[in-house]
Every structure is written in structure tokens, then in C-alpha cells.
Amino acid sequence: MPVTTPAPPHDAGALLAADPEIAAVLRAEGERQAGTLQLIAAENFTSPAVLAALASPLANKYAEGYPGARHHGGCEHADTVERTAIRRAKALFGAEHANVQPHSGSSAVLAAYAALLRPGDTVLAMGLPAGGHLTHGSPGNFSGRWFDFVGYGVDPDTGLIDYARVRALARGRRPKAIVCGSISYPRHPDYALFRDIADEVGAHLVVDASHPMGLIAGGAAPSPVPYADVVCATTHKVLRGPRGGMVLCRAALAGRIDRAVFPFTQGGAQMHTVAAKAVAFGEASAPAFAGYAHRVVEHARVLAAGLAAEGFRVVTGGTDTHLVVADPSPLGVGAGRARDRLAAAGLVLDTCALAHEPARTVAGGDGRGLRLGTAAVTTQGMDAADMARIAVLCGAVVRGETEPDASRVLSDVRTLAERHPPYPG
């Protein structure tokens, strides 16, 4: 459902008096978000209740450890909040155990590796050129430095995961863990098949569900929980909570996961964020959130079809999720240039790798695609007709039509954004 209540009250006057420089930046950021369209697949608008929890007195509380076993005094209310968040997460996702302390999705993945692996172990994950995350083996990340990652990819013609290749790599390399997850794969993974492959080679199955977790909560995407040993996720994106992470796992792994989060990879939990996670889990358990999640997917499919009609090459021919990957090179423009043109017109999105590029890149391409998401604009209350209009505006901007046309696009974007403010009132 769109947010229909104003943002939580705060002492803006105190901030303005104490630090007018930062107050001005925050005001400008609010105006940017309200005056442009947020199409970044990893972003969303939290509810006023989530924002209120983030600004609560729990921001002042140090609470190293876990409920009932803290290293600081005065944690009785922090314990209640964390127990509530854990209970709600377990109920929402049908998990045997939940750890809600990770500061981010990357922190959650780090904890999963720390619980299950030792440095030097072999891990099979989606390769970065095919859409793997930095924590799936990037040489600049702890994952690529500490573990021996083997990357699987997608079929060059369909863009879908090549499961036969995944099985062959698993048989050949005998990984200690298989990671299922991506930052730009727009289709549902076959979790049961990944489980079968992991069992065949004696590997743990780790699912990085950061992108689809909100869809899973709303019943708009299949759940990996029955198949995975560990599920890592963020609590923002489609889930519409605060920026943070969580880990779900089987009861048998609960102790290892908890010790991997604290004290191995993190110190004190951010209790105001844990409170905001609890609020978000509660909101996601309401029937209205299921309707929202299904609309997010419907809108992404409309957007994908509209972009294809505008001449973009849509990866995998569409989407099952909230995200769309579109190659603008058939229009004679590379993704970086297209992103900058779109940003100037108030259409904010990002780029991602394209598998099997740049070998197949046509004139004007740069081996990357545009990654768009419909979570934030759906939160604002936009509908399928608005998605079709956004696709037309994207086509006009990327084709680089005349300056009067570009100005018209910016005007249309602002009108659409003003019609659907993220925080009315």
C-alpha cells in the first residue's frame, strides 16, 4: 500500500540551529527523492513507523551480546525489542532460527561464511559478470581474498541459469558451499534443484535472498527457507525496512550463526535498527503487504514490456521479480551514458554487468545493462499505467531526442513524482 501518513515528527528546528550545513543537505536530499523517480532496484521508501523507530532512544543503547546475555546493563527493553524482531522474522519466513543483528546484507553473508567455512575453502557462486554480488567472490572483497570461489553463469542465449553447468562445476570442484543469489537476475532460482546439487556433493546451500526477500514475505516469490541451510538477506529493498541485514537458518546451525555474528564479525547491535526491523516485519505480515508485493511484480513486468517496445533488449525477455535488466545498446547508447541521461531527466537507476558482453555488444554498447526496480514507485502508489509511461519516457531520454523533448520528459517526471509523493503531508 502507498504510504498515506506523514513522516514522523522530529525536532528539525534543533538540527537547523545546531548544524545548518547538514540540515540543508538533508532537506535537499528529501527534495531530490520527492522530485525524481527512484528506480534503483535496491531502494525503497520505509514507512513513517520504521523511520520513527530509527530515530528512537534505542539509538543511544549499547547492547553487545544477545537477549538475556548482554555485556552491558540496562538492556531490558533492548532484549524485548530483539526478541520481538526474532519472533516476527521466524513467523514471517517460516524459519527455525533468525539472527537480526547484521548491519548489512554483506555482514549477513560474512557471518554465514564464518559459520560454515574456513579460509581457503572452495565456494561455488554466480560469477560477477553474470550478476553475482561482491560477497560472491570479488577479488576486492573479503570473499574473494579468503575463499576459492568458482563462478557459474547463465545460458548465452536465454540469460537463464545454466543448471547443468552448475552441477558439472559442483561435481568437478566439490565446493564446501554453494551460493544461490544475484543482484541482477530477474527470474526465480530453482531452490530445490540447488538443494539437490548441494546434497550430491556434500555442500552447504547458502541463499543470498537480499533482492527477493520482500517478495518472499508477500508471497510473490518462492521461499528458499525450506531448502537452504542458511538464508542471508537485507531488510530494506522490497521488504521496505531499515538498511540492515538478517540471517535465517536451521535450528542445528543457530549457535554457529549467532557466534559468527557476535562476537566474530560484529560488536554491539544497532538496537534502533533492530527495532525498525521488528516494525518492518510486522508491517510485512499484514495482508496489505502481500498485495503490495504482487503489484511490484506486475509493475516490473509492465515496465519490461514497455522497455522492449521502446527498443531496449530486455534480459531473459522479462522478469519474475521487482527488477528489470535492459540493454540500451540497440538504441546506439551505452549503459553508462544512458544512466546519466536518465538521471538528468529525473529517472534515477543504476547499471549492472551483462553476461557474455562485451562480445555481443552492438555499436554504442559498453558491456553493461540498465538495472531498474519497481519497489519504490509502487510504494508511492503508482500503477501499471504509470509504469508504461515511465518506459516511454526512458525510451525518449535514451534515444537523445531534442532539447525541448528532454525538457518535456523532465517536466513529465516531476509531475508524476508530485502526484505520488513518498510521504504525503
Side-chain angles (χ1 to χ4, degrees), residues 28 81 101 113 195 298 329 405:
V81 160
Q101 290 194 10
Y113 294 167
R195 177 76 265 169
E298 174 196 354
S329 64
D405 287 334

Side-chain angles (χ1 to χ4, degrees), residues 261-333:
V261 174
F262 175 85
F264 190 76
T265 62
Q266 290 187 180
Q270 297 177 354
M271 294 312 304
H272 59 306
T273 304
V274 171
K277 291 174 185 179
V279 173
F281 298 150
E283 291 176 342
S285 67
F289 189 86
Y292 162 75
H294 282 84
R295 286 195 301 277
V296 167
V297 175
E298 174 196 354
H299 292 170
R301 287 172 172 163
V302 172
L303 180 60
L307 292 172
E310 289 295 314
F312 294 84
R313 179 175 71 85
V314 175
V315 174
T316 76
T319 182
D320 295 329
T321 68
H322 64 298
L323 64 86
V324 178
V325 177
D327 179 5
S329 64
L331 301 178
V333 180

Side-chain angles (χ1 to χ4, degrees), residues 111-348:
Y113 294 167
L116 303 176
L117 304 172
R118 293 294 181 267
D121 282 349
T122 298
V123 183
L124 181 59
M126 180 172 275
L128 271 66
H133 186 252
L134 290 174
T135 56
H136 302 169
S138 167
N141 182 261
F142 70 86
S143 57
R145 295 188 182 189
W146 292 353
F147 305 106
D148 177 21
F149 269 82
V150 179
Y152 61 82
V154 297
D155 182 275
D157 295 318
T158 65
L160 302 176
I161 293 173
D162 185 345
Y163 290 101
R165 180 62 176 160
V166 175
R167 190 181 294 275
L169 286 170
R171 288 172 173 172
R173 298 299 297 270
R174 314 297 294 189
K176 292 293 181 66
I178 297 176
V179 180
C180 171
S182 169
I183 61 171
S184 59
Y185 188 67
R187 300 295 183 175
H188 298 316
D190 189 335
Y191 298 122
L193 185 50
F194 269 106
R195 177 76 265 169
D196 181 67
I197 295 170
D199 286 343
E200 180 181 342
V201 300
H204 292 289
L205 178 59
V206 177
V207 174
D208 184 346
S210 292
H211 270 278
M213 208 60 177
L215 300 178
I216 294 163
S223 174
V225 171
Y227 305 100
D229 296 300
V230 179
V231 177
C232 307
T234 54
T235 51
H236 43 289
K237 300 185 175 74
V238 185
L239 191 53
R240 213 156 58 180
R243 292 192 60 84
M246 66 176 169
V247 182
L248 308 176
C249 68
R250 304 181 189 278
L253 293 173
R256 291 166 67 177
I257 288 295
D258 286 352
R259 289 190 297 273
V261 174
F262 175 85
F264 190 76
T265 62
Q266 290 187 180
Q270 297 177 354
M271 294 312 304
H272 59 306
T273 304
V274 171
K277 291 174 185 179
V279 173
F281 298 150
E283 291 176 342
S285 67
F289 189 86
Y292 162 75
H294 282 84
R295 286 195 301 277
V296 167
V297 175
E298 174 196 354
H299 292 170
R301 287 172 172 163
V302 172
L303 180 60
L307 292 172
E310 289 295 314
F312 294 84
R313 179 175 71 85
V314 175
V315 174
T316 76
T319 182
D320 295 329
T321 68
H322 64 298
L323 64 86
V324 178
V325 177
D327 179 5
S329 64
L331 301 178
V333 180
R337 187 177 179 190
R339 176 199 58 206
D340 293 345
R341 287 183 180 180
L342 290 162
L347 296 157
V348 184

